[in-house]
Amino acid sequence: MRNILGLLFVSIALISCNDNLVFNQYKSMPNAEWHKDSLVKFEFSPIDTISRNNVYINLRNNNDYAYSNLFLIVGIDFPNNYKVVDTLEYEMADVDGKFLGEGLTDLKENVLEFKSNVIFPTTGTYNISIQQAMRKSGEVDGITSLKGVTDVGIQIEKMNNNE
């Protein structure tokens, strides 16, 4: 009976944990490898065109990820044909090589800040695309297959009024 009550309490806490969640979706990488030409695409249609939001890129990696950083090219296509493209760099490990993400096993979850204080002003469908842009130091060609990336996701949270 104690276990059932404990499980019920944890379930309720997780469900009510984030009332501000607007969108949260992951895409799995086949064989935990992210090909350089593979675009990870997300589509969402926000209902609220007034509120400010924070947008995060969520990335899960395992111990096969061999780098301390990550370069991404991220694009947002707005319903009115406006497009924004950013090239981003994130730290994935500290100076000792320990992964920065959360997790007790060899799988780490990273919540990477992409955009903050964003308004989606136009009704309709928005498309977000994410592409890895990793290169070995001194090389022009990108890394063909980035090993150790298991999942890529997008999370959008409505900001609280006091943020």
Side-chain angles (χ1 to χ4, degrees):
M1 183 67 172
R2 273 183 156 170
N3 291 342
I4 293 172
L5 288 175
L7 182 61
L8 181 64
F9 177 75
V10 169
S11 298
I12 291 171
L14 288 175
I15 291 170
S16 64
C17 186
N18 192 347
D19 293 334
N20 294 333
L21 195 60
V22 174
F23 182 83
N24 190 28
Q25 188 178 69
Y26 282 89
K27 303 279 176 88
S28 294
M29 299 293 102
N31 302 314
E33 294 184 17
W34 192 356
H35 192 275
K36 69 177 184 176
D37 296 329
S38 175
L39 288 176
V40 183
K41 298 179 182 180
F42 300 91
E43 185 177 286
F44 68 100
S45 301
I47 297 169
D48 186 342
T49 59
I50 298 170
S51 296
R52 297 182 181 284
N53 302 272
N54 292 326
V55 182
Y56 303 95
I57 297 169
N58 295 338
L59 187 125
R60 294 183 184 129
N61 67 284
N62 62 29
N63 287 337
D64 293 333
Y65 191 79
Y67 305 95
S68 62
N69 65 347
L70 174 69
F71 283 92
L72 300 174
I73 299 171
V74 183
I76 302 178
D77 293 320
F78 289 71
N80 59 1
N81 294 324
Y82 181 71
K83 183 171 184 150
V84 175
V85 178
D86 292 305
T87 302
L88 309 166
E89 180 184 14
Y90 294 102
E91 287 185 30
M92 299 295 289
D94 64 17
V95 293
D96 297 322
K98 182 180 177 227
F99 287 125
L100 299 174
E102 297 291 324
L104 299 176
T105 65
D106 70 335
L107 187 66
K108 300 299 179 194
E109 177 143 7
N110 302 273
V111 178
L112 310 171
E113 187 174 314
F114 172 45
K115 297 275 186 192
S116 58
N117 205 21
V118 174
I119 297 173
F120 297 105
T122 308
T123 58
T125 302
Y126 289 75
N127 292 289
I128 297 178
S129 62
I130 307 172
Q131 182 177 22
Q132 65 97 346
M134 293 293 289
R135 287 163 175 41
K136 289 188 178 176
S137 187
E139 294 186 16
V140 175
D141 293 330
I143 295 171
T144 302
S145 185
L146 186 60
K147 295 180 181 183
V149 178
T150 62
D151 304 278
V152 178
I154 288 290
Q155 180 177 327
I156 302 171
E157 293 180 356
K158 184 166 43 167
M159 294 177 64
N160 292 325
N161 290 335
N162 57 356
E163 286 186 67

